[in-house]
Amino acid sequence: MTVRRTSCNLCEAICGVLVTVEDGKVTDIRGDESDPLSRGHICPKAVALRDLQEDPDRLTTPVRRTPDGWQEIGWEAAYELVVDKLTGIQREHGRNAVGVYLGNPNVHSLGALTHLPTMVRQLRTRNRFSATSIDQLPHMLASYLLYGHQLMVAVPDIDRTSYLLMLGANPLASNGSMMTAPGFGKRLKELRNRGGKLVVIDPRRTETAAVSDEHHFVRPGTDAAFLLALIHEVITQGSARPAEYVDGFEAVEAAVEAWTPERAAGITGIPADVIRRIAREFAAADRAACYGRVGVSTQQFGAICQWAIQVLNIITGNLDRAGGTMFPRPAVNTLLGLGRGHIGVWKSRVRGLPEFGGELPVSTMAEEILTPGEGQIRAMVTVAGNPVLSTPDGRRLDEALGSLDFMVAVDPYINETTRHADVILPPAPPLERDHYDIIFHQLAVRNTARWNDAVLPKPAEARHDWEIFRDLGLALVRRTPWNRRRVETTARLRLSPRWIVDAGLRIGPYRLSVGKLRRSPGGVDLGPLQPALPEALHKKSKRIDLAQRMILDDLPRLDALTSVAADELLLIGRRHLRNNNSWMHNSARLVKGKPRHQLLMHPHDLADRDLADGQVVTVTSAAGSISVEVASSNDIMPGVVSLPHGFGHNRPGTRLTVANQLAGPSANDITDRSRIDHTSGTAAVNGVPVTVTAGQNSPE
Ligand SMILES: Nc1nc2c(c(=O)[nH]1)N[C@H]1C(S)=C(S)[C@@H](COP(=O)(O)OP(=O)(O)OC[C@H]3O[C@@H](n4cnc5c(=O)[nH]c(N)nc54)[C@H](O)[C@@H]3O)O[C@H]1N2
Ligand SMILES: Nc1nc2c(c(=O)[nH]1)N[C@H]1C(S)=C(S)[C@@H](COP(=O)(O)OP(=O)(O)OC[C@H]3O[C@@H](n4cnc5c(=O)[nH]c(N)nc54)[C@H](O)[C@@H]3O)O[C@H]1N2
Ligand code: SF4
Ligand SMILES: [Mo]
């Protein structure tokens, strides 16, 4: 029996774990007390790392679709086939005829971060998509505009703050996002023990709201009005004190002039006196942080919300001070390895939506496949993504993927998306990989560093994800002899992730190395976050300009927000501690418990429609209808209904043994690809207008 250390890579909390291995099998997984960031915390998902290892549904060799079903093939034959098809389609139809979708687990895998971008670049296509545009894109846009780099994200310094204002986030279920703070519940208790306060703004009384000091319902999609009113109040109360390196304050003052608390109250449902009080308390707190996550990103005003959150922190003097919002300084400088970002350098072909950082909004992916003409996508590469369940109007994307000339998926499962692939390339599972977290140390509430060797050996016939990207990348380079960067690309692809991390650590701010980190496998503590401005800004001027044209020009769009229509219902999402987006639903140990796919609805809204708790209802939006059981809940705001995403495993042709209690429909069958935040291109999956009626909808 041996006990090995690694970190859990299933969410952004990157908890350290101790894995007990007996006879090559995992027998126990528990929290690692010696990790200076996670301090022993884990959640039920960590235990499922073991299920991933032993999962009979998981592919271990490449498979290829044939008229007689899936057939195993060798790695070399699979690469040949994939590269032949992709380059053939590009030769005939142009390079944009190949589309790429990158899903969420890529940011949790070292090998994907070190090798995937180089492979994707070899495809030279502008039709690149990822989960970013249904997730944190507004954060990245705000960071790019204000701080000069898309990943220069200010995180709430939760361990020292005394006032946390949280919008549209539920870290007690999600374990935190764009804020790596493992054991959020414990950190929250510490905050309260210090006499600090948590205020939650959310259309649902979530698990996090339930333990807050104050929770206010907000009408979905209207937070921008609340935030502008807070800024208005801070300014009129005379409490604004932006730092010397901040410009554009007068433009902000002018922009929020009309946003009185009274106006915002009528729109948001949060009373004017509450808005005034929160503004006063926030400005008066000695250390305050405002933080907003999925609920204020994946909605129609995501970019305005994330900008306004930064502005509130900046003008109250809370940016870059202990207990406010701060910039982590990780041991490998992630910002160096990633471009600063850009927006609108090109537009999508069909709807003319702007790229961000080289990616187009995922809401436009289906129509880029289905709309004929030059530049139409005819082949797709998906890597660690399940967009049929996770992006708007999933049925249409389902149909689109079915119409492709060719599709390859790098994924361990045959699921709702990859069932459309011609070839599936399955990477080795997390416990067989070395790990250093390149992304989430950059978003962490404390500077720490941790390298872990793989816990289990990889079988000889298996491939790591980075080996798959390396081999595909090298094969693509061989087919493009005119490529001026051949030598450089080849050399880059041949480096191991470990070599790359080692180099990054050596040139990083703490001059570490993989060797040094291996001597402390529980992680190294590099201390609390430190002030870094204005020097750390990725702007030549070393100044922050609040008056971002793109945002200010967008504000008139808020004039469309008026008070609530009496019979209107708005759909929002939710997450559960024992679910993980659209996958891991075949881990019985993880997903156990009561069914949790129901549509949550307030008793008054049920009564108004003569509906009863538990009844099957039809939920209809502009995009379509689904049937689902309704659950009565006093924890949801009247006029709002909530469904989790990532369900809908009833599509034929998948190879997943999904637990019965997860038999719900896919929320994204009724989210609408035309509803986006036009400024950032983010899908607005929260705040979708729907109707709810009795009975099952007729099957399509
Ligand atoms: N309505 C609604 N929709 C949403 C959201 C919402 O709140 N509401 N949330 C959005 C958000 S925040 C996100 S991040 C997206 C997620 O959207 P996606 O990233 O598209 O979906 P996931 O469910 O994370 O799917 C992960 C896929 O990766 C595969 N996989 C797992 N591990 C690995 C690995 O190590 N390597 C490889 N190659 N593949 C692996 C799984 O089998 C699965 O196919 O969903 C978004 N969709
Ligand atoms: N257990 C578990 N953990 C996860 C995941 C998972 O699927 N399961 N997914 C991971 C991923 S990919 C991500 S991105 C993170 C997300 O992390 P979080 O953002 O913390 O997670 P959510 O539960 O989606 O929280 C969004 C909240 O926004 C609220 N909301 C919806 N619309 C609005 C609105 O208009 N205004 C306001 N103010 N609130 C609104 C919802 O009620 C919900 O409580 O979680 C990660 N962690
Ligand atoms: S909170 Fe859970 S899923 Fe997230 S890293 Fe920690 S153990 Fe893994
Ligand atoms: Mo996400």
Side-chain angles (χ1 to χ4, degrees), residues 104 135 293 575:
N104 170 279
D135 192 345
R293 201 39 203 110
R575 284 176 159 79

Side-chain angles (χ1 to χ4, degrees), residues 75-76 79 83 119 463 465-476 478 493:
W75 287 100
E76 292 310 317
Y79 296 148
V83 172
M119 188 279 274
R463 294 289 180 277
D465 50 3
W466 69 271
E467 294 176 310
I468 298 173
F469 307 134
R470 176 196 63 194
D471 293 345
L472 285 175
L474 291 173
L476 287 166
R478 282 196 294 275
L493 285 167

Side-chain angles (χ1 to χ4, degrees), residues 355-398:
E355 63 76 38
F356 178 82
E359 291 176 355
L360 293 167
V362 75
S363 294
T364 192
M365 192 159 80
E367 67 211 20
E368 291 294 340
I369 299 173
L370 290 169
T371 313
E374 205 177 314
Q376 179 185 7
I377 298 176
R378 291 162 191 270
M380 279 296 299
V381 180
T382 68
V383 184
N386 192 4
V388 167
L389 297 192
S390 57
T391 69
D393 208 348
R395 284 185 189 130
R396 190 158 162 98
L397 182 65
D398 211 350

Side-chain angles (χ1 to χ4, degrees), residues 10-12 43 45 104 108 134-136 166-178 201-207 216 218-223 291-296 298-299 571-582 636 642 645 686-687:
L10 294 172
C11 89
E12 301 179 34
C43 83
K45 277 196 275 178
N104 170 279
H108 297 278
I134 185 162
D135 192 345
Q136 80 290 358
M166 183 184 298
L167 297 86
N170 185 13
L172 284 197
S174 70
N175 283 300
S177 183
M178 299 306 272
I201 309 291
D202 197 299
R204 182 166 77 90
R205 191 172 301 110
T206 60
E207 294 80 352
H216 302 281
V218 63
R219 195 167 150 241
T222 66
D223 304 79
Y291 160 80
R293 201 39 203 110
V294 160
V296 284
T298 56
Q299 55 135 291
L571 173 71
I572 61 166
R574 69 174 184 273
R575 284 176 159 79
H576 189 280
L577 186 59
R578 286 182 168 276
N579 286 0
N580 190 24
N581 292 331
S582 78
I636 191 118
S642 155
H645 73 285
N686 284 300

Side-chain angles (χ1 to χ4, degrees), residues 478-598:
R478 282 196 294 275
R479 305 283 175 103
T480 49
W482 59 87
N483 182 340
R484 272 181 288 128
R485 298 208 167 152
R486 287 186 76 168
V487 177
E488 183 192 325
T489 304
T490 304
R492 205 187 156 82
L493 285 167
R494 291 214 162 110
L495 299 173
S496 70
R498 184 186 179 126
W499 192 95
I500 295 170
V501 171
D502 190 57
L505 286 168
R506 284 172 193 277
I507 60 168
Y510 310 94
R511 303 280 182 241
L512 292 167
S513 66
V514 167
K516 281 187 193 159
L517 291 186
R518 282 184 83 213
R519 289 198 281 279
S520 313
V524 173
D525 189 11
L526 303 168
L529 306 185
Q530 302 291 339
L533 296 190
E535 295 73 24
L537 291 171
H538 281 250
K539 300 225 171 203
K540 271 203 205 82
S541 61
K542 299 292 172 195
R543 302 186 67 79
I544 297 173
D545 185 6
L546 302 178
Q548 292 297 327
R549 262 295 121 222
M550 180 177 275
I551 305 292
L552 297 179
D553 289 350
D554 196 22
L555 295 181
R557 208 158 49 93
L558 291 172
D559 294 338
L561 290 176
T562 47
S563 41
V564 198
D567 57 347
E568 186 180 67
L569 286 176
L570 297 175
L571 173 71
I572 61 166
R574 69 174 184 273
R575 284 176 159 79
H576 189 280
L577 186 59
R578 286 182 168 276
N579 286 0
N580 190 24
N581 292 331
S582 78
W583 67 295
M584 296 176 73
H585 292 173
N586 59 343
S587 164
R589 205 192 331 234
L590 173 64
V591 301
K592 70 176 183 219
K594 289 196 211 120
R596 45 181 176 262
H597 59 265
Q598 297 94 332

Side-chain angles (χ1 to χ4, degrees), residues 448-461:
T448 65
R450 177 173 179 132
W451 169 275
N452 288 110
D453 291 340
V455 166
L456 294 168
K458 170 179 77 64
E461 64 283 5

